[in-house]
Structures are given as structure tokens and as C-alpha cells.
């Protein structure tokens, strides 16, 4: 009987402990699982997820989309390599006016066909300003701005002026002025703005000066007779001088003969007169 009572007591105690443990688990707050981080919004100009400054224009443009032809030209001319190097070690930054694929498609057929490889490089550099400009900074410009392109007359330029809440960019070529469409990158050291026209440098696409007429050929010059060096030996007279000398000699001989004939005539008359 005592053994049975002990067994029941132990069983009761075990059951009580189990119930209390279960009650404590139910009352204790459950640990919240960490929620997955939401993807960062692709704000304009965010080039990398780790917050590094944008230094790769091609990567930014390809991520934005719609700039395939511009990227191809940047790579073919190796201007992209130059821009990366500048952005990696730059205190002034860069600004790019990036023409869209639609802008290239709207060009007249053959517009770019006559460009040399050097002209293509200058055309790509013409899309780049040698410092960082925010949209508000561009809106305060009221004069011409240098680009990275240059020629024998100096840097190629844009004429930039405010236009409402936007800015008007003009190359000087007739019909080649544009407004900024959208901001592709806005973080220092690189700002990129899309444009709906391909920027055409005035130095390459403006009216060219007429080709000067070739200079007339110089008139032929008469050669002067060379002077003969004097020497100790008398030279034979030329043909004309020889003929003239012969005529003079002949005339002198004839005159002398006439004089002798006249003298002999006078002498003969005197002799004959004395004889008679």
C-alpha cells in the first residue's frame, strides 16, 4: 500500500512539473525572426550597391538602358577608358550629355559617314564637360561652356542658357539645340543627362570655309647668258663679230686702193706735162 502511494506521488509531481514548464513556454514571448532587407531603391545616379562614387559611365548607361549606340561609340573610340581614369582620380568630376538610341536613329542618313577616327573621338569628347554640374548649376550658366573636345581653334563649346525649369543646350549647328530629358546620374563625381539629339560640334558640322584657289604657276624666267671668264688667251670672235670685222677690213682696203689710184693718176699727169 505504501509503495503504491509513493508511485502515485512521484507521478503527480512529474505531471505538475510538465504542466508548469508548458505554461512557461506559452507565456514567454516568441523571438521575432529578422525580416529580409528590402532592396534599395535605384535612385538616379546610384552606380553601385555599396555606395561607392560612380566612376564607370558605361555601367551606369547600360543599367539605365536606351544608350546602346552611344556606349558602342564610347568603347570603339576608347573614350570610355579615358573617362574612367579621370573619374578615378578627379577633384572636378565630369558631366555627360548622353544621346539616346532614338537620337542616333533621328540623324540624317550619312551624317557620321565622313568622320575620320580622330573626328569620332572628338565627337564623343564633345558630349563631356570637364567638371561636375548639377541641374541647378547648369541652370545658372548664361555663357558658353568648354567641353573635353578641342581642335586647332581651342576647346569646342556649348551655349547653355536657362529654359523654364530646364536648360537649353546649343551647339551652334542649325537645328542642333536640345533640352535635358532626364537625370541618369547625379552623384559626384559624375552627372549624366540624357538628350534627345546627338550633339554635333560646330567645328565638324558647321559651315566650312571655302577652299582657297590654287596659286598661279610662276612665269618662266629668261635665262641670262653666262659671263665668260677672262683668260690670258684671246678667244676667237663670235660669228657675227667675225663677219663685221671682215666687212670693215674689206671697206678699208677698198678705200686705200682708191687713194693709191688717185695719187698715181696725179703723178702720171705731172710727168706727162713736163715731157711736153
Amino acid at each position: 500500500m505504501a509503495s503504491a502511494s509513493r508511485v502515485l506521488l512521484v507521478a503527480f509531481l512529474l505531471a505538475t512539473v510538465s504542466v508548469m514548464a508548458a505554461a512557461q513556454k506559452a507565456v514567454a514571448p516568441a523571438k521575432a525572426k529578422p525580416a529580409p532587407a528590402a532592396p534599395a531603391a535605384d535612385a538616379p545616379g546610384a552606380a553601385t550597391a555599396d555606395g561607392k562614387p560612380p566612376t564607370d559611365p558605361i555601367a551606369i548607361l547600360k543599367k539605365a538602358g536606351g544608350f546602346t549606340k552611344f556606349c558602342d561609340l564610347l568603347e570603339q573610340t576608347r573614350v570610355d577608358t579615358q573617362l574612367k581614369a579621370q573619374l578615378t582620380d578627379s577633384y572636378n568630376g565630369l558631366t555627360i550629355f548622353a544621346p539616346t538610341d532614338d537620337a542616333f536613329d533621328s540623324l540624317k542618313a550619312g551624317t557620321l559617314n565622313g568622320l575620320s577616327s580622330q573626328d569620332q573621338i572628338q565627337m564623343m569628347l564633345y558630349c563631356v564637360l570637364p567638371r561636375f554640374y548639377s541641374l541647378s548649376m547648369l541652370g545658372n550658366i548664361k555663357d558658353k561652356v568648354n567641353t573635353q573636345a578641342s581642335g586647332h581653334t581651342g576647346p569646342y563649346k556649348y551655349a547653355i542658357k536657362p529654359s523654364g525649369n530646364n536648360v537649353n543646350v546649343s551647339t551652334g549647328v542649325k537645328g542642333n539645340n536640345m533640352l535635358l530629358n532626364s537625370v541618369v546620374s547625379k552623384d559626384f563625381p559624375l552627372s549624366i543627362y540624357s538628350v534627345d539629339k546627338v550633339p554635333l560640334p560646330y567645328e565638324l558640322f558647321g559651315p566650312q570655309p571655302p577652299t582657297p584657289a590654287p596659286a598661279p604657276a610662276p612665269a618662266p624666267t629668261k635665262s641670262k647668258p653666262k659671263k665668260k671668264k677672262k683668260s690670258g688667251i684671246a678667244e676667237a670672235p663670235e660669228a657675227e663679230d667675225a663677219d663685221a670685222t671682215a666687212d670693215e677690213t674689206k671697206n678699208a682696203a677698198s678705200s686705200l686702193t682708191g687713194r693709191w689710184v688717185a695719187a698715181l693718176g696725179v703723178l702720171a699727169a705731172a710727168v706727162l706735162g713736163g715731157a711736153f
Side-chain angles (χ1 to χ4, degrees), residues 16-269:
T16 302
V17 170
S18 298
V19 171
M20 291 177 66
Q24 288 178 355
K25 287 183 179 181
V27 173
K31 291 183 180 180
K33 295 182 179 179
D42 290 333
T48 57
D50 54 6
K52 291 182 179 179
T55 57
D56 189 345
I58 296 295
I60 297 173
L61 291 167
K62 287 184 175 180
K63 182 177 181 180
F67 301 95
T68 301
K69 295 179 180 180
F70 182 51
C71 289
D72 289 344
L73 282 172
L74 287 174
E75 292 175 331
Q76 290 169 13
T77 56
R78 297 186 180 276
V79 171
D80 65 318
T81 304
Q82 176 181 334
L83 299 182
K84 284 182 185 178
Q86 287 182 259
L87 291 168
T88 301
D89 186 16
S90 173
Y91 294 99
N92 295 323
L94 296 175
T95 299
I96 298 178
F97 295 148
T100 62
D101 290 336
D102 290 339
F104 279 97
D105 292 338
S106 65
L107 283 176
K108 291 182 180 180
T111 299
L112 306 181
N113 291 349
L115 296 179
S116 65
S117 57
Q118 182 62 30
D119 290 341
Q120 291 180 10
I121 292 174
Q122 295 306 318
M123 185 173 172
M124 291 297 97
L125 290 174
Y126 187 61
C127 296
V128 184
L129 306 183
R131 60 162 297 178
F132 176 89
Y133 286 97
S134 65
L135 189 58
S136 60
M137 293 168 67
L138 289 172
N140 290 326
I141 296 175
K142 298 179 182 179
D143 200 355
K144 291 189 176 181
V145 178
N146 290 341
T147 70
Q148 296 233 121
S150 62
H152 65 279
T153 59
Y156 297 174
K157 300 176 182 292
Y158 287 116
I160 298 179
K161 61 182 180 179
S163 179
N165 294 329
N166 206 325
V167 294
N168 182 286
V169 181
S170 176
T171 65
V173 176
K174 185 177 180 180
N176 194 231
N177 57 304
M178 63 212 79
L179 296 174
L180 306 183
N181 279 350
S182 61
V183 181
V184 181
S185 174
K186 65 176 182 179
D187 295 334
F188 185 86
L190 178 61
S191 58
I192 302 178
Y193 305 94
S194 70
V195 290
D196 58 1
K197 292 182 181 179
V198 178
L200 303 176
Y202 185 85
E203 289 77 1
L204 300 180
F205 296 92
Q208 300 300 313
T211 304
T221 56
K222 295 181 179 180
S223 59
K224 296 181 180 180
K226 295 182 179 179
K227 294 182 179 180
K228 296 182 179 180
K229 295 181 180 179
K230 293 182 180 181
S231 61
I233 303 174
E235 297 180 358
E238 296 181 357
E240 293 181 0
D241 295 341
D243 293 341
T245 303
D247 292 340
E248 292 175 0
T249 304
K250 185 177 179 181
N251 293 336
S254 299
S255 177
L256 183 61
T257 302
R259 290 176 182 176
W260 278 107
V261 170
L264 288 173
V266 172
L267 181 60

Side-chain angles (χ1 to χ4, degrees), residues 1-12:
M1 208 50 197
S3 298
S5 297
R6 290 176 182 174
V7 170
L8 289 173
L9 180 59
V10 171
F12 175 77

